[in-house]
Amino acid sequence: MRILGIETSCDDCSIAIVEDGSVLRSMVTASQIETHRLTGGVVPEVAAREHAIAIIPTICSALEKANIGLSDLDAIAVTRGPGLSSALLMGTMTASALSLATEKPLIGVHHILGHLYGNFLEREAPDILFPYVALTASGGHNHLILSRSHREFTILGSTRDDAAGEAYDKVARMLGLSYPGGPSIEHAALDGNPLAFDLPRPLLDTGLEFSFSGLKSEIMRIVQREQGRGEGLSGSFIADLAASFQHTVTDVLVTKLFRAAEEVSAQQVLIAGGVSANTSLRERVVSEANRRSIPALFPLKKVYSTDNGAMIAARAYYQCTGRLDSYPAGATILPDPNLTIEQSL
Ligand code: KG4
Ligand code: ZN
């Protein structure tokens, strides 16, 4: 089954064509990073306008790259939410119109479930073991999710305040590093000492909830103290603080992921969302998984960690398999910025 996936929930207009939930035929992503760098973050109306400009040419490029036409598709899938309302609207309206014109079924997908299925791109079905626990860590969300099948998902824990990616973005801004913060901090941390600063690890010893606002405030305090000396922030100060921050966040994420896996006797752990592109997180998860003899998956390519159309097509395949008739062509899909997982099933 060949599905066109459309993802416009935030600042990436990403279109992909995926076969049977795993084989990537093409993916084209129009990134808005340069635009949002000017404001240090995403302005929703600006993002929506950029999607309006990019979406049709991006769909055409993805079809061209896969060397197929619209008539060769079996279904069209689109992110319904959560995400930025006006940005989502660009994707859902385009998807509805395409579906009406081509008479292909239209499948609305939950963005966070899309992230989970980014793990299954370019993998064989037997690589997916249930029950699994997934850590999702992005700019907009941070959860531990238990999945018992392609239709059963339970949120075991979430963040009480900032998501991990949001903390990366805010700390990067404090350190004068460019947007998006995750890759900038990862790069700066290469030259730093992860043990240079002993930072707070809120809620580390208990439960499955996350909280990153105290850590963020502590970084702000350290930065202000350094600026108070009147000499600005040196390269080595930035590198040490970036490395210590990354080490601390990774520690919290990994501890909670394996605590959850143990509590529910998971057969596998996954990491997903933009922060799962982080090399130090990937390495820690793999070494901890090896130590406990539990299989770990992470998206095979870093572009499958950050927002992308392929993960939406992959989730759509597993969501609908065998039941395309319940997804009518030309249906109206309204974006829902607060869509829950249950509402998406
Ligand atoms: O999943 P995503 O692309 O968009 C949302 O759904 O939010 O995640 C974006 C987030 C940003 O906060 C970005 O700073 C973070 O993922 N991120 C990273 C890395 N690459 C992206 N965080 C840590 N290390 C990275 N290499
Ligand atoms: Zn995302």
Side-chain angles (χ1 to χ4, degrees):
M1 187 185 292
R2 196 177 284 149
I3 300 182
L4 177 98
I6 301 178
E7 158 60 37
T8 65
S9 69
C10 188
D11 58 344
D12 284 310
C13 181
S14 182
I15 312 292
I17 294 154
V18 176
E19 284 175 358
D20 297 339
S22 71
V23 181
L24 189 84
R25 286 290 304 269
S26 69
M27 179 152 80
V28 182
T29 302
S31 166
Q32 304 176 2
I33 282 181
E34 291 310 323
T35 305
H36 300 304
R37 208 162 257 163
L38 301 174
T39 44
V42 179
V43 177
E45 292 311 317
V46 175
R49 194 183 151 78
E50 295 272 315
H51 287 310
I53 294 167
I55 194 161
I56 298 295
T58 309
I59 291 171
C60 294
S61 307
L63 288 166
E64 200 175 312
K65 239 176 128 180
N67 203 17
I68 59 168
L70 285 170
S71 60
D72 299 311
L73 298 171
D74 294 299
I76 291 156
V78 64
T79 306
R80 254 175 87 189
L84 303 174
S85 183
S86 51
L88 288 165
L89 192 58
M90 292 299 151
T92 55
M93 288 306 297
T94 306
S96 292
L98 258 189
S99 162
L100 177 68
T102 57
E103 298 179 4
K104 307 287 179 188
L106 178 61
I107 305 166
V109 170
H110 192 279
H111 179 76
I112 298 173
L113 294 189
H115 273 298
L116 301 191
Y117 284 75
N119 274 272
F120 307 146
L121 288 163
E122 296 183 35
R123 296 199 197 261
E124 305 286 324
D127 289 343
I128 310 173
L129 303 175
F130 293 107
Y132 67 72
V133 171
L135 165 75
T136 72
S138 270
H141 46 88
N142 206 152
H143 300 296
L144 287 164
I145 298 175
L146 164 66
S147 175
R148 296 195 178 279
S149 74
H150 293 299
R151 303 201 62 78
E152 294 170 281
F153 303 91
T154 309
I155 296 184
L156 302 174
S158 300
T159 180
R160 291 188 182 170
D161 37 58
D162 292 347
E166 195 179 352
Y168 265 98
D169 293 336
K170 289 176 178 167
V171 167
R173 207 199 274 223
M174 292 175 207
L175 295 177
L177 301 172
S178 64
Y179 171 87
S184 310
I185 289 194
E186 181 165 15
H187 184 71
L190 290 174
D191 299 323
N193 171 8
L195 304 177
F197 294 91
D198 186 18
L199 300 170
R201 290 163 165 71
L203 307 179
L204 182 71
D205 299 324
T206 80
L208 301 175
E209 303 274 289
F210 300 94
S211 166
F212 293 109
S213 71
L215 170 60
K216 201 184 58 188
S217 310
E218 177 63 8
I219 303 256
M220 176 60 105
R221 210 183 54 74
I222 295 170
V223 168
Q224 283 172 344
R225 193 182 58 201
E226 186 70 8
Q227 282 166 336
R229 296 185 210 275
E231 290 172 16
L233 305 181
S234 71
S236 66
F237 173 86
I238 291 171
D240 282 348
L241 197 47
S244 301
F245 167 77
Q246 178 172 271
H247 178 67
T248 305
V249 171
T250 301
D251 208 23
V252 173
L253 294 176
V254 172
T255 304
K256 302 259 173 180
L257 171 61
F258 286 94
R259 178 175 300 144
E262 205 168 294
E263 281 184 14
V264 300
S265 304
Q267 296 299 303
Q268 188 169 51
V269 295
L270 321 180
I271 56 171
V275 180
S276 72
N278 186 274
T279 303
S280 91
L281 176 64
R282 288 173 171 227
E283 287 174 354
R284 275 288 302 281
V285 167
V286 169
S287 82
E288 197 61 30
N290 288 343
R291 207 168 66 75
R292 296 163 183 255
S293 305
I294 177 169
L297 288 187
F298 49 77
L300 272 179
K301 294 182 182 151
K302 292 197 171 184
V303 288
Y304 300 156
S305 283
T306 47
D307 290 349
N308 67 88
M311 69 186 198
I312 300 305
R315 169 58 194 159
Y317 172 77
Y318 286 100
Q319 184 173 315
C320 78
T321 305
R323 310 177 27 240
L324 269 182
D325 51 340
S326 52
Y327 295 95
T332 301
I333 290 192
L334 285 179
D336 183 346
N338 303 310
L339 185 72
T340 64
I341 291 176
E342 291 71 33
Q343 288 167 338
S344 78
L345 297 175

